[in-house]
Amino acid sequence: MNEEDLISKKELLELTGISYGQLYRWKRKNLIPEEWFVRKSSFTGQETFFPKDKILQRIERIKNMKDGLSLDELADVFSPSSNIQSLSPENLVERNIVTVLAMGLFEEECGSQETLSFNDILTVYVLQKLLQSGEMTREEGKMLITVMREHYGTLAAKPCELVLIRKMGVPLLLLAESAEQIYFDKDVKWILRLPLAASMEELKLKINETEA
């Protein structure tokens, strides 16, 4: 990680207006990952730094949500796993978590199911977002379902991105731990890069908000 990508603890506290106590309380509650605390030598001894963009985005989200959710609930939102075991397709549609269109396409590919696992719910949620935005066609949506069901389980605990590219109109969809390190020839057109952790957080919040 480059030096310019880091922010010191002192700068972070000054910039965000949070206290030392808040920062480490959020760390204890797993709202901020341990690996984001980067210890480096400086002329004053050991100093703590953080990945600048990630920590600033995370703290902003915590500050925006902490009045409506407990710290334990926030920890679940930011966790790479989920306490949600399964929900029925009917329940998901009734609560406006996913649309009938996205659910129908999923069932067209995977068959009718009594309940969906959290990973499948995330798949339908992402599918819905990309269909509604117009970034993905119906046929590409079918590819998304296949890729997520076959490969997301092995990456679920890691930061990963959904990547869609097209070459001469032919789409290719992939999951990548870091799209920053993927290179293509000049004829390839990047269509989208979607960090799945952000979509997972959105989905968990939506489920929490619509709970009876």
PDB file of all heavy atoms in Angstrom, residues 17 20-21 34 40 52 55 61 67 96 105 114 146 180 193 196:
ATOM      1  N   GLY A  17     -13.684  14.002  13.526  1.00  0.00           N
ATOM      2  CA  GLY A  17     -14.301  14.522  14.744  1.00  0.00           C
ATOM      3  C   GLY A  17     -14.679  13.452  15.751  1.00  0.00           C
ATOM      4  O   GLY A  17     -15.386  13.731  16.727  1.00  0.00           O
ATOM      5  N   TYR A  20     -10.692   9.115  20.350  1.00  0.00           N
ATOM      6  CA  TYR A  20      -9.851   7.909  20.450  1.00  0.00           C
ATOM      7  C   TYR A  20     -10.686   6.755  20.997  1.00  0.00           C
ATOM      8  O   TYR A  20     -10.628   5.626  20.499  1.00  0.00           O
ATOM      9  CB  TYR A  20      -8.666   8.219  21.372  1.00  0.00           C
ATOM     10  CG  TYR A  20      -7.735   7.063  21.636  1.00  0.00           C
ATOM     11  CD1 TYR A  20      -6.584   6.883  20.869  1.00  0.00           C
ATOM     12  CD2 TYR A  20      -7.990   6.162  22.668  1.00  0.00           C
ATOM     13  CE1 TYR A  20      -5.720   5.825  21.121  1.00  0.00           C
ATOM     14  CE2 TYR A  20      -7.133   5.100  22.927  1.00  0.00           C
ATOM     15  CZ  TYR A  20      -6.003   4.934  22.151  1.00  0.00           C
ATOM     16  OH  TYR A  20      -5.151   3.896  22.399  1.00  0.00           O
ATOM     17  N   GLY A  21     -11.495   7.045  22.027  1.00  0.00           N
ATOM     18  CA  GLY A  21     -12.333   6.015  22.656  1.00  0.00           C
ATOM     19  C   GLY A  21     -13.343   5.431  21.686  1.00  0.00           C
ATOM     20  O   GLY A  21     -13.565   4.211  21.656  1.00  0.00           O
ATOM     21  N   GLU A  34      -9.656  -5.299  12.204  1.00  0.00           N
ATOM     22  CA  GLU A  34      -8.326  -5.264  12.819  1.00  0.00           C
ATOM     23  C   GLU A  34      -7.242  -4.988  11.774  1.00  0.00           C
ATOM     24  O   GLU A  34      -6.296  -4.241  12.024  1.00  0.00           O
ATOM     25  CB  GLU A  34      -8.062  -6.619  13.498  1.00  0.00           C
ATOM     26  CG  GLU A  34      -6.626  -6.849  13.937  1.00  0.00           C
ATOM     27  CD  GLU A  34      -6.230  -6.032  15.160  1.00  0.00           C
ATOM     28  OE1 GLU A  34      -7.096  -5.797  16.026  1.00  0.00           O
ATOM     29  OE2 GLU A  34      -5.057  -5.628  15.221  1.00  0.00           O
ATOM     30  N   LYS A  40       3.215   1.343  11.796  1.00  0.00           N
ATOM     31  CA  LYS A  40       4.458   1.640  11.069  1.00  0.00           C
ATOM     32  C   LYS A  40       5.394   2.433  11.966  1.00  0.00           C
ATOM     33  O   LYS A  40       4.956   3.152  12.858  1.00  0.00           O
ATOM     34  CB  LYS A  40       4.136   2.453   9.803  1.00  0.00           C
ATOM     35  CG  LYS A  40       3.294   1.700   8.784  1.00  0.00           C
ATOM     36  CD  LYS A  40       2.812   2.618   7.670  1.00  0.00           C
ATOM     37  CE  LYS A  40       3.932   3.085   6.778  1.00  0.00           C
ATOM     38  NZ  LYS A  40       4.425   1.980   5.917  1.00  0.00           N
ATOM     39  N   LYS A  52      -6.849   4.995   3.794  1.00  0.00           N
ATOM     40  CA  LYS A  52      -7.582   6.258   3.895  1.00  0.00           C
ATOM     41  C   LYS A  52      -9.017   6.187   3.383  1.00  0.00           C
ATOM     42  O   LYS A  52      -9.956   6.543   4.096  1.00  0.00           O
ATOM     43  CB  LYS A  52      -6.812   7.354   3.142  1.00  0.00           C
ATOM     44  CG  LYS A  52      -7.424   8.742   3.287  1.00  0.00           C
ATOM     45  CD  LYS A  52      -6.542   9.799   2.652  1.00  0.00           C
ATOM     46  CE  LYS A  52      -7.131  11.192   2.841  1.00  0.00           C
ATOM     47  NZ  LYS A  52      -6.264  12.232   2.264  1.00  0.00           N
ATOM     48  N   ILE A  55     -11.355   3.678   5.514  1.00  0.00           N
ATOM     49  CA  ILE A  55     -11.696   4.088   6.879  1.00  0.00           C
ATOM     50  C   ILE A  55     -12.596   5.306   6.885  1.00  0.00           C
ATOM     51  O   ILE A  55     -13.530   5.392   7.684  1.00  0.00           O
ATOM     52  CB  ILE A  55     -10.414   4.330   7.729  1.00  0.00           C
ATOM     53  CG1 ILE A  55     -10.753   4.478   9.219  1.00  0.00           C
ATOM     54  CG2 ILE A  55      -9.642   5.545   7.251  1.00  0.00           C
ATOM     55  CD1 ILE A  55     -11.163   3.214   9.894  1.00  0.00           C
ATOM     56  N   ARG A  61     -20.269   6.065   7.317  1.00  0.00           N
ATOM     57  CA  ARG A  61     -21.442   5.193   7.350  1.00  0.00           C
ATOM     58  C   ARG A  61     -21.848   4.890   8.794  1.00  0.00           C
ATOM     59  O   ARG A  61     -23.031   4.856   9.112  1.00  0.00           O
ATOM     60  CB  ARG A  61     -21.162   3.898   6.598  1.00  0.00           C
ATOM     61  CG  ARG A  61     -20.866   4.114   5.125  1.00  0.00           C
ATOM     62  CD  ARG A  61     -21.083   2.867   4.316  1.00  0.00           C
ATOM     63  NE  ARG A  61     -22.516   2.602   4.207  1.00  0.00           N
ATOM     64  CZ  ARG A  61     -23.028   1.563   3.547  1.00  0.00           C
ATOM     65  NH1 ARG A  61     -22.230   0.719   2.950  1.00  0.00           N
ATOM     66  NH2 ARG A  61     -24.330   1.387   3.493  1.00  0.00           N
ATOM     67  N   ASP A  67     -27.416   6.109  15.049  1.00  0.00           N
ATOM     68  CA  ASP A  67     -28.584   6.529  15.832  1.00  0.00           C
ATOM     69  C   ASP A  67     -29.758   5.587  15.648  1.00  0.00           C
ATOM     70  O   ASP A  67     -30.637   5.496  16.503  1.00  0.00           O
ATOM     71  CB  ASP A  67     -28.999   7.956  15.441  1.00  0.00           C
ATOM     72  CG  ASP A  67     -27.985   9.004  15.891  1.00  0.00           C
ATOM     73  OD1 ASP A  67     -27.235   8.702  16.847  1.00  0.00           O
ATOM     74  OD2 ASP A  67     -27.933  10.089  15.292  1.00  0.00           O
ATOM     75  N   ASN A  96     -40.703  -5.989  -0.266  1.00  0.00           N
ATOM     76  CA  ASN A  96     -40.079  -5.091  -1.244  1.00  0.00           C
ATOM     77  C   ASN A  96     -38.554  -5.105  -1.160  1.00  0.00           C
ATOM     78  O   ASN A  96     -37.894  -4.104  -1.433  1.00  0.00           O
ATOM     79  CB  ASN A  96     -40.615  -3.653  -1.072  1.00  0.00           C
ATOM     80  CG  ASN A  96     -40.424  -2.821  -2.319  1.00  0.00           C
ATOM     81  OD1 ASN A  96     -40.452  -3.344  -3.430  1.00  0.00           O
ATOM     82  ND2 ASN A  96     -40.190  -1.532  -2.145  1.00  0.00           N
ATOM     83  N   LEU A 105     -36.746 -14.262 -12.699  1.00  0.00           N
ATOM     84  CA  LEU A 105     -35.585 -14.659 -13.503  1.00  0.00           C
ATOM     85  C   LEU A 105     -34.728 -15.671 -12.745  1.00  0.00           C
ATOM     86  O   LEU A 105     -34.232 -16.644 -13.322  1.00  0.00           O
ATOM     87  CB  LEU A 105     -34.756 -13.430 -13.885  1.00  0.00           C
ATOM     88  CG  LEU A 105     -33.562 -13.673 -14.812  1.00  0.00           C
ATOM     89  CD1 LEU A 105     -33.991 -14.373 -16.104  1.00  0.00           C
ATOM     90  CD2 LEU A 105     -32.863 -12.358 -15.145  1.00  0.00           C
ATOM     91  N   GLU A 114     -38.572 -23.153  -1.838  1.00  0.00           N
ATOM     92  CA  GLU A 114     -39.356 -22.716  -0.671  1.00  0.00           C
ATOM     93  C   GLU A 114     -38.652 -21.587   0.064  1.00  0.00           C
ATOM     94  O   GLU A 114     -39.295 -20.641   0.531  1.00  0.00           O
ATOM     95  CB  GLU A 114     -39.598 -23.888   0.281  1.00  0.00           C
ATOM     96  CG  GLU A 114     -40.606 -24.903  -0.236  1.00  0.00           C
ATOM     97  CD  GLU A 114     -40.972 -25.923   0.814  1.00  0.00           C
ATOM     98  OE1 GLU A 114     -40.664 -25.693   2.011  1.00  0.00           O
ATOM     99  OE2 GLU A 114     -41.561 -26.949   0.452  1.00  0.00           O
ATOM    100  N   THR A 146     -25.524 -17.669 -12.396  1.00  0.00           N
ATOM    101  CA  THR A 146     -24.629 -18.832 -12.475  1.00  0.00           C
ATOM    102  C   THR A 146     -23.298 -18.564 -11.775  1.00  0.00           C
ATOM    103  O   THR A 146     -22.829 -19.382 -10.969  1.00  0.00           O
ATOM    104  CB  THR A 146     -24.373 -19.215 -13.948  1.00  0.00           C
ATOM    105  OG1 THR A 146     -25.619 -19.526 -14.574  1.00  0.00           O
ATOM    106  CG2 THR A 146     -23.444 -20.412 -14.044  1.00  0.00           C
ATOM    107  N   GLU A 180      -8.533  -4.162  -9.443  1.00  0.00           N
ATOM    108  CA  GLU A 180      -7.427  -3.256  -9.728  1.00  0.00           C
ATOM    109  C   GLU A 180      -6.290  -3.982 -10.447  1.00  0.00           C
ATOM    110  O   GLU A 180      -5.471  -3.363 -11.115  1.00  0.00           O
ATOM    111  CB  GLU A 180      -6.886  -2.651  -8.423  1.00  0.00           C
ATOM    112  CG  GLU A 180      -7.890  -1.820  -7.632  1.00  0.00           C
ATOM    113  CD  GLU A 180      -8.210  -0.493  -8.295  1.00  0.00           C
ATOM    114  OE1 GLU A 180      -7.501  -0.120  -9.235  1.00  0.00           O
ATOM    115  OE2 GLU A 180      -9.172   0.159  -7.864  1.00  0.00           O
ATOM    116  N   ARG A 193     -18.150  -2.349 -12.393  1.00  0.00           N
ATOM    117  CA  ARG A 193     -17.426  -2.944 -11.270  1.00  0.00           C
ATOM    118  C   ARG A 193     -18.275  -2.688 -10.038  1.00  0.00           C
ATOM    119  O   ARG A 193     -18.546  -1.544  -9.695  1.00  0.00           O
ATOM    120  CB  ARG A 193     -16.061  -2.288 -11.089  1.00  0.00           C
ATOM    121  CG  ARG A 193     -15.040  -2.678 -12.127  1.00  0.00           C
ATOM    122  CD  ARG A 193     -13.760  -1.891 -11.943  1.00  0.00           C
ATOM    123  NE  ARG A 193     -13.219  -2.011 -10.589  1.00  0.00           N
ATOM    124  CZ  ARG A 193     -12.159  -1.346 -10.143  1.00  0.00           C
ATOM    125  NH1 ARG A 193     -11.525  -0.518 -10.945  1.00  0.00           N
ATOM    126  NH2 ARG A 193     -11.731  -1.502  -8.917  1.00  0.00           N
ATOM    127  N   LEU A 196     -19.154  -6.122  -3.857  1.00  0.00           N
ATOM    128  CA  LEU A 196     -20.284  -6.866  -3.293  1.00  0.00           C
ATOM    129  C   LEU A 196     -20.480  -6.592  -1.806  1.00  0.00           C
ATOM    130  O   LEU A 196     -21.584  -6.753  -1.290  1.00  0.00           O
ATOM    131  CB  LEU A 196     -20.093  -8.360  -3.548  1.00  0.00           C
ATOM    132  CG  LEU A 196     -20.277  -8.759  -5.021  1.00  0.00           C
ATOM    133  CD1 LEU A 196     -20.022 -10.249  -5.206  1.00  0.00           C
ATOM    134  CD2 LEU A 196     -21.674  -8.409  -5.517  1.00  0.00           C
TER     135      LEU A 196
END
